Amino acid sequence: MMRPRVLYFALFTFFSLSGGRFTATFLEHELQFTENWMVSGAMAVQLLSSSLCSSWLGGVADSWEASNKGGKNKGRLLVMSLGLLLSTIAILLHSLGSLWMHWHSSKTQHHDPYSNYDLDVVGTEIDNSQPSIPLPLLAYHLFLRAVFAMGTAGAMPVLDGLTLAQLEREGRDKQEYGKERVYGAISWGVANIFFGPAIDLFGFKTLYATTILSFIGCMVTFHLYAKSNSTNDYIGSSEIVDSGDLEDEKKSSDEVLAIIKQPQKGNNKYISTTSLEEDDFFGNDADNHTNNEKSQERLTFSLFLQLLLHKAPILNISYIISLFALYIGMSVVESLLFLYFEFLGGSNTMCGLTVSVTVLFELPLFHFAPDVLKFLGSPIRMFQWGCFAYVVRVVGYSLIPQSHPYWVLFLEPLHGITIAFALTSSVAVADAWVPKGYEASGQGYLSMVRGLGQFVGFCIGGFIEGRTLYRVLAAVVTVGTSILGIGNYYSTKKKENNSYTAIG
């Protein structure tokens, strides 16, 4: 039986080789987005599209999985496959715009080599070596970035949901999620080691070929995984021990959803009840769970909010705010950082090397995530340490002098801490919020929050540049984690008072 780790490896290879961290520089050099606001705007459009689609695609994946008769996980794999196909087509269509731009540039220079102005282009002044992009072509590329984002939007929440569901079916601790996810970090690092030098040698047109190859690799991997797992029987779900209060939170989510969705006889509306059992909706074992899933409805946003606010609403809302703030900062680090490295004097090879250094520190953190989570005591504290690592890192970036780009390698390990801690904690928290069978939906809604945060980050990055940008983002993340600390403190005190009252 194949593990979800092979899916993470294949998917992150696609993410890396279809642009990844080099997306901003691809837009600048290949598509000739000559202004900072163009690059930030394109990334903002991409993230907004992803945010709007991720939760919906997570729900579609859960629904298709529940109604699929061809074996475990095939419904979710189908959603991922169709999405990656759409994204691959969008990347290849960029080449048409690039070819037209090169043709138009050569034609203009041939007829009037001394012309520096063109009313059909964005901006007023054109550098002959890199002409500005016409407005219709800019809109064309922005549309393709949105299409690309819609294709990849569901991939991570769907795969995270698939992984959590498989761990539960096998009776394994869901905290082992990190041991599966770490293989995504491995492929991300390995791909970037070769991708950076390849761009230096052959230019950004390399991206078109690598996107096709990585897409084919994903399709082969998905097929082998589905074929391998469709013939395997799963043991009944055993008790999964979550850290802290997550086990109680999970049980509470099952009960609340049952209460919200209990239908009244002869009526399509839902009524509240206090005498429902989880088995009435989810079954007693894995087989019954699968059969009952076939009539499963999607987890709507309103239902998700009710689950979120049912228990520890202050803590949950403060966590959402802090996650939103962190990904405002992460947007720039994930997508625009290589432009800053170019400003410092770095090459594409050096940029690829920074990713590899990051991954080297992600590997042990993801692998030992359950132990780290137990050591820190709660996912909240784990998330706060990830935020702290981010703040130290970006402040350090803002202090590095020009012509010394390799100094950033000393700060890159902190990104590994942020990624490993933030993802592990957020996956654990989201899984505790939603009941069985809705894993992809829960991850999708959390992905939506992350995407909206990144959208805001790109908007900020379009107006603020250079060292000031990183200092502003450090302040935003600091405010967010402070709000989480206050919410956690208040929630803990309230719980202690309730326990004291109950004992008394």
Side-chain angles (χ1 to χ4, degrees), residues 238-259:
S238 63
E239 292 188 13
I240 306 299
V241 179
D242 292 318
S243 66
D245 295 327
L246 292 186
E247 182 180 5
D248 294 336
E249 186 97 5
K250 183 74 173 178
K251 292 177 180 178
S252 176
S253 298
D254 290 344
E255 294 167 358
V256 173
L257 189 67
I259 290 173

Side-chain angles (χ1 to χ4, degrees), residues 118 297 387 398 499:
D118 192 333
E297 297 184 23
C387 293
S398 71
S499 298

Side-chain angles (χ1 to χ4, degrees), residues 398-415:
S398 71
L399 299 176
I400 294 176
Q402 274 188 288
S403 74
H404 293 80
Y406 282 91
W407 287 17
V408 303
L409 295 175
F410 294 102
L411 296 171
E412 285 306 291
L414 294 173
H415 183 61

Side-chain angles (χ1 to χ4, degrees), residues 358 361 386 389-390 392-394 410-419:
T358 297
F361 282 82
Y390 173 87
V392 173
R393 179 189 178 205
V394 296
F410 294 102
L411 296 171
E412 285 306 291
L414 294 173
H415 183 61
I417 295 174
T418 300
I419 287 291

Side-chain angles (χ1 to χ4, degrees), residues 10-18 84 87-88 152 211 214-215 218:
L11 188 61
F12 273 82
T13 300
F14 179 85
F15 287 161
S16 301
L17 300 183
S18 61
L84 295 187
S87 296
T88 300
T152 57
T211 298
S214 58
F215 170 73
C218 283

